[in-house]
Amino acid sequence: GENVGLHLPTLSVQEGDNSIINCAYSNSASDYFIWYKQESGKGPQFIIDIRSNMDKRQGQRVTVLLNKTVKHLSLQIAATQPGDSAVYFCAETYDKVIFGPGTSLSVIP
Amino acid sequence: DGGITQSPKYLFRKEGQNVTLSCEQNLNHDAMYWYRQDPGQGLRLIYYSQIVNDFQKGDIAEGYSVSREKKESFPLTVTSAQKNPTAFYLCASSMTSGGAQYFGPGTRLLVL
């Protein structure tokens, strides 16, 4: 069936380095994608979104890249900070929203 | 302060008991959703509502019920028919169905 998956379930990054979190999606008709951040015991927080008519979108310290050819989505976090430690998951939308299981990002001070 | 709230933060259920989780939003969003999150798993959709007085089952609706009598409120009842209710329950809302979903802080349900 259609699903959204993540290449790396866990990621450890040194403070100050850049982080890249990846996501693969299987539905080529999906036209809207979102990245969420979820800290332990809290609800997911919207980070950034991108529509299928774009390849790249930048926010504050974050960039989302969309490669429709290989159905791949990535979230780049610049100058990773301890407060970035959380689970990050992507979501794809066509006629419904499908969430991936998430990648746990751990920032090493 | 606009946002989406859930209460209580923790809820304990005795065997055979029905419990209701509250979800309120003041974002003027039409669509609201309930998800269940288990450790190490992705979000699973329980119920969703695209408009007041209307709701549809999600992927795991058995043992749950909802109502949508007001635009800002979408309570979830976990019934005694739900045999494995221990989980983290998340409510979300979006401007329209298919739009970006914004989540509440969650309710953790534990069984005594």
Side-chain angles (χ1 to χ4, degrees):
Chain A
E2 306 290 359
N3 63 76
V4 175
L6 294 172
H7 293 169
L8 298 173
T10 59
L11 179 65
S12 294
V13 176
Q14 200 73 37
E15 181 179 357
D17 287 352
N18 296 335
S19 302
I20 300 176
I21 300 171
N22 297 303
C23 177
Y25 65 96
S26 57
N27 187 352
S28 57
S30 291
D31 56 5
Y32 182 51
F33 305 86
I34 303 172
W35 278 102
Y36 289 93
K37 172 187 179 182
Q38 186 175 22
E39 296 175 84
S40 181
K42 297 183 179 180
Q45 176 187 358
F46 176 99
I47 301 174
I48 192 168
D49 60 356
I50 189 168
R51 297 206 173 270
S52 58
N53 60 352
M54 301 174 69
D55 297 324
K56 178 180 179 180
R57 191 160 189 229
Q58 288 184 293
Q60 187 177 10
R61 281 202 306 120
V62 296
T63 300
V64 55
L65 298 177
L66 177 62
N67 186 331
K68 294 181 286 294
T69 302
V70 294
K71 288 181 281 190
H72 183 267
L73 190 71
S74 69
L75 176 70
Q76 299 179 3
I77 304 173
T80 310
Q81 303 169 359
D84 294 328
S85 293
V87 172
Y88 292 81
F89 58 90
C90 62
E92 65 171 315
T93 302
Y94 177 49
D95 59 348
K96 64 176 182 177
V97 180
I98 300 173
F99 296 92
T103 291
S104 177
L105 175 65
S106 179
V107 181
I108 305 166
Chain B
D1 234 2
I4 181 166
T5 59
Q6 292 184 242
S7 63
K9 186 173 183 179
Y10 295 96
L11 185 58
F12 297 91
R13 193 191 91 163
K14 295 179 181 178
E15 193 171 337
Q17 185 183 41
N18 292 352
V19 292
T20 298
L21 285 61
S22 170
C23 178
E24 304 277 332
Q25 55 96 2
N26 61 3
L27 300 167
N28 200 32
H29 285 175
D30 284 326
M32 297 187 74
Y33 314 80
W34 274 106
Y35 294 93
R36 171 179 172 141
Q37 187 176 43
D38 293 283
Q41 295 188 32
L43 301 177
R44 292 187 290 168
L45 183 64
I46 304 173
Y47 268 97
Y48 66 101
S49 169
Q50 295 178 302
I51 199 167
V52 176
N53 293 320
D54 184 54
F55 51 82
Q56 288 81 39
K57 292 182 179 180
D59 301 320
I60 55 165
E62 185 174 353
Y64 301 97
S65 66
V66 293
S67 62
R68 187 85 187 278
E69 298 176 2
K70 297 187 295 182
K71 185 175 185 177
E72 59 270 22
S73 179
F74 191 40
L76 173 74
T77 296
V78 183
T79 74
S80 57
Q82 173 49 245
K83 298 306 179 187
N84 184 24
T86 298
F88 191 48
Y89 291 86
L90 288 160
C91 180
S93 69
S94 62
M95 182 69 73
T96 58
S97 179
Q101 295 185 22
Y102 295 86
F103 288 84
T107 292
R108 188 164 298 281
L109 177 61
L110 300 167
V111 177
L112 294 177

